[in-house]
């Protein structure tokens, strides 16, 4: 994994004030880089040594750290993002490798379970975690008695961390430990820079644009933020505000009536935002700018971080059920949802003399699904290297030589189906998502002309309206269409889903296989192997050696009176399509991380977003490095030989310019 000869288990104790200076009020980056930050001391223990953890106070901790050969020393901590950041940012020592028992527990036991040191101590029947911290709340200068108590508390935590790690590492794949180290070093050893001038300009331009809009429309910000007042402003422009069915809650599981559909993702609001009436569109745009302060807030946070140093990338290893990363909770910024072309994305830069090489796996989920389902036709399309969406559209709609230029709407529909319908998506959900913008695409409402293209005929109409359930589902779709327009949109959406399923019979069969394995394997425990997956009692072993877990899987009666499978403390619903989605995303994550680890051997990976990895390379090596990175990301994994992988790359100093 790495060349190290020693593992130090360590745990820092630092000054905090629960009223003003605490990680509940500040991000880890703000807290450690603050001028108010202070180390009380640190406990250190050589891993597996019989010696007790040693306490080093603030006065002598640096002398100890200076005596360590950090090029051959690894560090183990629980929530290592915090402790190693102190070691790196405050003391300027960087360990050769980072172990983190919190990250390991998240992968082994799931993100829904408690993985704190206290919870894991209970899980493994270890002595409970101490409670001495309350006695030093708000105390900057400890008395000898307080320091002695804190040292004993810290020593016990350090011992607990070691014991928990001993338990965790028994079943933990070594390459996943390398991914934890890679993830934590993105944060603890940051290299990405921020452009404060670009960020400041972006904030000012947005403020000016918002002010201009409000002035032109003669309204105040508070009016746009209020749903009732905004509805009245719309009525003043001759527009009836859109409505939607009330959502069920714990207190009112069967609500009656409608409510304003003015949230940014509501189909009705999206329709107004894209209205041909410029005033209506501008009004909705202004509301978004007032209601959604995310970009303004995040830009300011980026500016603040830039004044303190490089950008630590806040990611949770195994932050999602399928193993994908998530933004660290409480980090104040989320690098997983930066808009393409945004100032925030362009403001992230490589240091001088370096370039960012960005590589994004292309259609990785449909490729994995096709492989697992033995969809030979789709695999051949991917293998050919041609436009996969157009080629699939030609097959799906029976239109030879379909291209993006000749049939743009059919190609977009085939793309939406390929990316979304592969997990058993129903026509009503598909129709609703299209109205708001499917997977980030612009909103689409199918009309009569498009209905002719996809082959909707009188038989389709009669069959659709002849089944009461279809009309009930259609009525539940949030919209601003007339009844006729919604019916046409729904007919087209159903036709597309039906055509997808006809063209992808192997995928449908895979859903059915997964649905059957929920009962036979995940519930009853009959082991079943399918390609690189092993289905077991309440889990599926992945190529990485880790498992997709479905604890406490049971059958219960659903709202419609039918039996359904649920798992976990929150009773999450599980069915064939959903299990397929989990499996595909988990296997795609295995493929991507294999590529990342290959890249990491030569160039440091400094950021990852979904199926994308960003590597830092010397400027003069960029052209050759871009090709090399592409090769590493598209090597066939041994557990899926012959899968046709592809990726897109770009290189630039600014992240937003690279891709």
């Amino acid at each position: 994994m790495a060349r190290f000869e020693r593992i130090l288990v360590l745990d820092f104790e630092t000054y905090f004030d629960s009223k003003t200076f605490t990680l509940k009020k500040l991000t880890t980056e703000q807290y450690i880089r603050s001028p108010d930050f202070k180390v009380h001391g640190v406990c250190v223990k050589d891993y597996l040594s019989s010696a007790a953890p040693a306490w080093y106070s603030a006065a002598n901790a640096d002398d100890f750290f200076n005596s360590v050969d950090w090029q051959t020393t690894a560090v183990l901590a629980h929530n290592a993002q915090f402790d190693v950041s102190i070691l790196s940012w405050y003391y300027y020592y960087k360990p050769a490798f980072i172990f983190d028992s919190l990250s390991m527990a998240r992968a082994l036991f799931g993100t829904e379970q408690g993985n704190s040191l206290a919870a894991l101590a209970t899980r493994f029947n270890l002595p409970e975690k101490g409670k001495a911290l309350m006695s030093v709340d708000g105390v900057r200068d400890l008395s000898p008695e307080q320091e002695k108590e804190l040292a004993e508390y810290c020593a016990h935590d350090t011992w607990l961390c070691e014991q928990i790690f001993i338990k965790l590492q028994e079943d933990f794949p070594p390459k996943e430990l390398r991914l934890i180290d890679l993830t934590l070093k993105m944060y603890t050893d940051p290299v990405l820079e921020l452009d404060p001038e670009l960020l400041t300009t972006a904030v000012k331009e947005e403020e000016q644009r918002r002010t201009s809009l409000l002035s032109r429309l003669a309204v105040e910000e508070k009016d746009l933020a209020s749903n009732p007042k905004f509805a009245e402003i719309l009525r003043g422009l001759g527009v009836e505000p859109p409505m939607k069915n009330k959502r069920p809650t714990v207190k009112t599981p069967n609500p009656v009536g409608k409510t304003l559909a003015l949230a940014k993702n509501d189909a009705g609001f999206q329709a107004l935002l894209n209205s041909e009436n410029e005033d209506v569109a501008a009004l909705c745009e202004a509301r978004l700018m007032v209601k959604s302060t995310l970009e303004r807030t995040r830009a300011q946070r980026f500016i603040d971080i830039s004044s303190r140093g490089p950008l630590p990338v806040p990611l949770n290893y195994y932050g999602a059920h399928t193993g994908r990363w998530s933004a660290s909770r409480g980090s104040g910024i989320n690098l997983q949802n930066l808009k393409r072309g945004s100032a925030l994305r362009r403001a992230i830069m490589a240091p001088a003399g370096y370039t960012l090489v960005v590589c994004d796996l292309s259609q990785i989920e449909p490729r994995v699904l096709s492989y697992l389902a033995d969809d030979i036709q789709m695999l051949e399309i991917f293998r050919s290297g041609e436009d996969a969406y157009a080629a699939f559209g030609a097959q799906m709609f029976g239109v030879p030589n379909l291209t993006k230029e000749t049939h743009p709407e059919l190609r977009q529909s085939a793309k939406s189906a390929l990316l979304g319908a592969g997990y058993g998506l129903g026509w009503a959900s598909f129709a609703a998502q299209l109205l708001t913008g499917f997977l980030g695409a612009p909103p689409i409402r199918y009309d009569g002309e498009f209905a002719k293209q996809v082959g909707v005929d009188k038989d389709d109409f009669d069959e659709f309206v002849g089944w009461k359930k279809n009309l009930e589902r259609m009525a539940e779709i949030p919209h601003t269409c007339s009844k006729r327009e919604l019916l046409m949109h729904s007919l087209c959406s159903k036709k597309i889903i039906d055509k997808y399923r006809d063209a992808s019979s192997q995928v449908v069969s895979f859903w059915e296989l997964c649905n059957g394995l929920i009962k036979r394997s995940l519930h009853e425990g009959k082991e079943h192997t399918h390609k690189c997956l092993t289905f077991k009692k309440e889990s599926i072993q992945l190529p990485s050696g880790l498992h997709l877990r479905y604890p406490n899987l049971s059958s219960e009666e659903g709202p419609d009176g039918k039996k359904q499978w649920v798992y976990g403390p929150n009773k999450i619903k599980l069915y064939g399509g959903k299990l397929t989605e989990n499996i595909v995303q988990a296997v795609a994550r295995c493929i991507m991380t294999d590529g990342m680890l290959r890249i990491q051997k030569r160039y440091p990976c400094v950021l990852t977003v979904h199926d994308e990895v960003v590597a830092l390379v010397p400027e003069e090596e960029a052209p050759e490095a871009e090709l090399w990175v592409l090769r590493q990301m598209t090597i066939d994994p041994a557990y899926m030989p012959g899968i046709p992988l592809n990726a897109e790359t770009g290189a630039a100093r600014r992240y937003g310019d690279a891709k």
Side-chain angles (χ1 to χ4, degrees), residues 270-292:
Q270 283 289 325
L272 295 177
L273 185 64
N274 293 281
S275 172
E276 293 181 3
N277 184 320
E278 291 186 6
D279 284 342
V280 172
L283 184 70
C284 292
E285 188 177 355
R287 175 178 166 85
L288 281 181
M289 297 172 83
V290 171
K291 288 284 287 182
S292 179

Side-chain angles (χ1 to χ4, degrees), residues 6 8 56 61-70 73 93:
R6 181 186 189 187
L8 289 180
Y56 295 93
D62 192 48
D63 287 341
F64 169 75
F65 291 141
N66 193 43
S67 69
V68 175
D69 179 4
W70 291 106
T73 302
Y93 298 110

Side-chain angles (χ1 to χ4, degrees), residues 524-595:
E524 296 176 355
K526 296 173 184 175
E527 192 166 304
H528 177 86
T529 299
H530 179 83
K531 297 185 183 291
C532 57
L533 305 165
T534 302
F535 294 76
K536 304 178 181 181
K537 175 75 172 177
E538 296 189 344
S539 75
I540 303 170
Q541 185 169 341
L542 300 165
S544 63
L546 293 174
H547 293 74
L548 271 173
R549 298 191 180 276
Y550 299 93
N552 308 121
L553 181 69
S554 63
S555 176
E556 68 175 30
E557 188 175 293
D560 57 0
K562 296 180 181 179
K563 288 290 185 180
Q564 63 180 20
W565 293 102
V566 296
Y567 70 94
N570 298 322
K571 293 195 172 183
I572 300 169
K573 186 177 177 181
L574 186 66
Y575 51 92
K578 187 63 178 177
L579 184 58
T580 298
E581 182 178 19
N582 288 172
I583 289 169
V584 169
Q585 290 183 354
V587 174
R589 181 261 188 197
C590 293
I591 293 172
M592 193 197 74
T593 54
D594 286 350

Side-chain angles (χ1 to χ4, degrees), residues 350-351 353-357 615-620 622 650-653:
Y354 288 85
T355 294
L356 298 177
V357 172
L616 183 72
V617 306
E619 201 172 62
E620 64 275 10
R653 186 182 178 197

Side-chain angles (χ1 to χ4, degrees), residues 314-502:
L315 291 175
N316 279 338
Y317 161 86
Y318 232 89
H321 175 65
T322 56
R324 293 188 169 186
W325 283 268
S326 66
S328 295
R329 192 174 298 171
S331 62
I333 57 173
N334 182 359
L335 301 183
Q336 302 292 288
N337 65 350
L338 297 179
K339 294 179 183 177
R340 291 191 182 275
S342 67
L344 296 185
R345 198 175 175 104
R346 292 197 68 247
I348 299 174
M349 305 187 300
Y354 288 85
T355 294
L356 298 177
V357 172
V358 180
C359 187
D360 189 5
L361 287 170
S362 303
Q363 304 121 1
I364 182 61
E365 289 187 28
R367 291 169 191 265
V368 169
L369 177 57
S370 298
Y371 188 94
L372 293 174
D374 286 319
D375 189 342
I376 305 302
Q377 280 187 305
M378 199 65 232
L379 288 171
E380 285 304 315
I381 287 174
F382 285 128
R383 197 167 283 120
S384 71
E386 58 185 302
D387 182 340
Y389 302 131
F392 180 62
Q395 172 187 319
M396 180 175 158
F397 296 115
V399 179
N401 303 316
L402 184 151
T403 68
K404 186 176 183 179
E405 291 71 31
T406 61
H407 297 81
E409 287 185 321
L410 289 181
R411 179 189 178 277
Q412 180 60 42
S413 297
K415 177 179 179 180
S416 297
L418 192 62
L419 296 178
Y423 304 134
L425 186 69
W427 69 263
S429 296
F430 184 60
Q433 291 184 46
L434 287 167
L435 289 174
T436 59
F438 194 81
L439 299 175
I444 293 174
R445 189 185 74 205
Y446 295 133
D447 57 18
E449 284 299 314
F450 184 76
K452 294 177 184 177
Q453 289 189 59
V454 295
V456 174
D457 57 25
K458 186 177 183 301
D459 289 342
D460 295 317
F461 176 85
D462 291 342
E463 181 183 346
F464 186 92
V465 299
W467 193 30
K468 184 180 176 182
K469 193 68 176 177
N470 281 337
L471 299 179
E472 290 174 351
R473 288 174 178 166
M474 186 179 75
E476 293 172 355
I477 297 173
H479 66 280
T480 56
C481 320
S482 68
K483 287 185 179 180
R484 179 179 174 78
E485 289 170 338
L486 181 60
L487 176 59
M488 192 58 65
H489 178 73
S490 298
L491 280 166
C492 292
S493 298
K494 187 175 187 305
K495 192 73 172 180
I496 290 170
I497 292 298
D498 290 344
K499 282 183 173 291
Y500 171 82
R501 294 181 180 185
D502 288 342

Side-chain angles (χ1 to χ4, degrees), residues 45-101:
K45 183 185 185 303
D46 272 286
Y47 180 60
L48 297 181
S49 165
S50 59
W55 169 261
Y56 295 93
S57 64
N60 54 25
D62 192 48
D63 287 341
F64 169 75
F65 291 141
N66 193 43
S67 69
V68 175
D69 179 4
W70 291 106
Q71 291 187 336
T72 60
T73 302
V75 162
L76 163 63
H78 192 78
N79 189 15
Q81 185 185 90
F82 177 75
D83 295 281
V84 179
S85 292
I86 296 173
L87 184 66
S88 177
W89 305 348
Y90 193 74
Y91 290 101
Y92 304 105
Y93 298 110
K94 298 174 183 177
F97 198 85
I98 305 172
F99 295 96
D100 179 31
S101 49

Side-chain angles (χ1 to χ4, degrees), residues 631-650:
R631 286 197 297 272
Q632 307 315 304
M633 290 295 286
T634 53
I635 292 174
D636 286 9
Y639 47 85
M640 298 185 88
I643 184 173
L645 299 178
N646 200 3
E648 297 178 353
T649 60

